[in-house]
Amino acid sequence: MRIVQVCPYAMDRPGGVQRHVRDLSAWLAAGGDEVVIVAPPLPGRRPRREGRLIEIGRSRAFGAHGTGFELSLAAPITVRMLAGELHGWGAELVHLHTPWTPAVAGQLWRALRLPAVTTLHATLPEPGAAGPVERYIRWAARRAIRRSRAVVVPSGAPLPMLGRLVPDLAAHVLPPAVDLAPWRDAAAARTGPPALVFLGRLEERKGLRTLLEAWRQAAPQLSGARLTVAGDGPLRPPVEDARLPRLDYVGRPSDAAARRLLGKADLFIAPAPYGESYGLVLAEAMAAGAVPVAAANPGYASVLGEAGADLLVPPGDAAALATKIVDLVRAPERIAAWRDWAAVRAAASDIATVGPRYLALYREVLGRDAAPTGARSS
């Protein structure tokens, strides 16, 4: 097959959607399919082509609902030329990721007019939310859903809301997938004082203020334990100015540095209170050997499942987060048991597990027989 993956976010910016698109594309290409990724460039940078990535248009940083993303736009002639090039290449199917993010994804989709699979990565606003951004997102999402051959959600968490938006929706529940092999390879023997890590964008949606307050309460009870905050974003100043004991801020790490950081961590702290329809970062942490302590938003809960419910705390509850951290750090045998469980649980998000399910969906959409058993490897 020849597949066009359309990502609305700059591929150089950290994010679960970008990692999923990158690793799924690489897995498909390794199995003999041909894949092109189309995405906007980072704000302020000219579009480029590199490997299977084609950047198009220009973008500008934008924030809504406590998170940041790119608003992008390409000249109509540029879109038509790229669509013609992709048709000439033999493109057969387009996979749209979060297609209501304005505007390059929608521009290219309309120009391509190919069978589409649409993944709704983010949790949409409720039908009653009345702001202009919320109304646009609902309109664009409904339009994409009704014009797609197949709709994918990362977990069952968004289904009740989507059912209110599109009552007749029949969605495929397919977790996003990443190649967890490098994360497993990063796991190292735990030595020295207990190590806790937060890794992600420093923004309201990720629960940084809750984390800082929880550490203010927990640190005095945990002699020697250290918390490392890794990432960048608008809440960087509060982190740098926190003046809390044994708190290290290391900025945004490279992928390799992030794996090393989690490979040595005992606990991975993920306090995002809302807006998570899945949580690839939890799977990556678990594969590296770090036990997650996470806010009980629906997406994170879906990653951990019923067996991991004891690792969840009420969203936004700093006292509960502090208590959970203290209880676990004081019981290293419990962390060791959770680490063994997490290594197995993480496999549900591995590209080796999920990739074949995406391949089968693509073939179904195109009306083709399933690939022969054993035709793929990870």
Side-chain angles (χ1 to χ4, degrees):
M1 286 181 290
R2 290 184 173 176
I3 304 156
V4 182
Q5 300 275 350
V6 182
C7 181
Y9 312 125
M11 292 296 292
D12 285 342
R13 183 167 66 81
V17 175
Q18 294 95 317
R19 295 197 302 278
H20 168 55
V21 169
R22 177 197 64 207
D23 288 4
L24 176 58
S25 299
W27 182 86
L28 289 164
D33 292 301
E34 297 182 60
V35 186
V36 167
I37 300 170
V38 180
L42 283 168
R45 197 178 68 188
R46 296 179 64 85
R48 76 189 196 283
R49 294 191 177 205
E50 186 174 287
R52 64 176 58 94
L53 173 64
I54 299 175
E55 292 181 339
I56 181 175
R58 298 293 180 93
S59 66
R60 175 176 296 181
F62 183 77
H65 302 134
T67 190
F69 52 92
E70 289 85 32
L71 293 179
S72 58
L73 190 68
I77 189 171
T78 302
V79 175
R80 289 195 300 270
M81 289 176 64
L82 178 57
E85 178 185 343
L86 293 172
H87 279 296
W89 170 66
E92 300 170 84
L93 180 141
V94 57
H95 188 162
L96 300 162
H97 299 267
T98 317
W100 56 83
T101 304
V104 159
Q107 287 181 288
L108 184 62
W109 178 36
R110 289 190 296 272
L112 283 172
R113 297 185 178 275
L114 289 172
V117 173
T118 293
T119 295
L120 309 178
H121 288 280
T123 301
L124 297 174
E126 286 288 346
V133 173
E134 289 77 11
R135 289 197 300 272
Y136 168 79
I137 290 174
R138 287 197 304 272
W139 170 83
R142 188 183 290 113
R143 185 170 183 266
I145 288 169
R146 288 177 172 166
R147 296 187 179 187
S148 297
R149 296 275 185 91
V151 174
V152 174
V153 292
S155 70
L159 290 177
M161 178 275 303
L162 288 172
R164 291 188 287 274
L165 185 69
V166 182
D168 58 346
L169 176 65
H172 300 261
V173 179
L174 275 177
V178 290
D179 181 3
L180 291 179
W183 298 89
R184 287 191 292 265
D185 292 344
R190 269 60 182 176
T191 59
L196 292 71
V197 170
F198 169 93
L199 172 65
R201 295 191 297 276
L202 307 188
E203 58 188 23
E204 294 290 350
R205 191 171 69 86
K206 297 300 181 180
L208 260 297
R209 298 187 193 278
T210 299
L211 172 61
L212 294 176
E213 174 56 25
W215 188 242
R216 186 189 67 78
Q217 298 177 33
Q221 305 178 60
L222 300 173
S223 177
R226 303 196 71 88
L227 170 65
T228 298
V229 174
D232 204 355
L235 291 188
R236 177 174 176 171
V239 174
E240 292 181 315
D241 298 340
R243 300 184 184 279
L244 295 172
R246 301 183 305 283
L247 171 65
D248 301 315
Y249 173 64
V250 298
R252 173 185 161 185
S254 66
D255 289 346
R259 290 192 289 268
R260 289 193 297 270
L261 191 63
L262 291 179
K264 297 178 181 179
D266 296 286
L267 298 180
F268 174 69
I269 314 300
Y274 63 91
E276 303 289 342
S277 58
Y278 198 65
L280 278 177
V281 68
L282 300 188
E284 292 167 342
M286 291 191 292
V291 176
V293 176
N297 64 64
Y300 286 175
S302 72
V303 175
L304 297 181
E306 291 184 11
D310 193 48
L311 297 172
L312 299 170
V313 298
D317 191 333
L321 180 58
T323 298
K324 184 68 67 175
I325 290 171
V326 170
D327 289 348
L328 285 170
V329 171
R330 286 179 172 174
E333 72 284 354
R334 289 181 62 201
I335 292 180
W338 277 118
R339 184 176 294 124
D340 292 340
W341 169 85
V344 176
R345 180 68 185 179
S349 299
D350 198 338
I351 190 64
T353 302
V354 186
R357 298 173 64 189
Y358 279 97
L359 181 64
L361 179 60
Y362 292 165
R363 297 183 72 88
E364 177 185 330
V365 165
L366 293 177
R368 297 182 183 176
D369 295 332
T373 303
R376 295 285 172 132
S377 66
S378 59

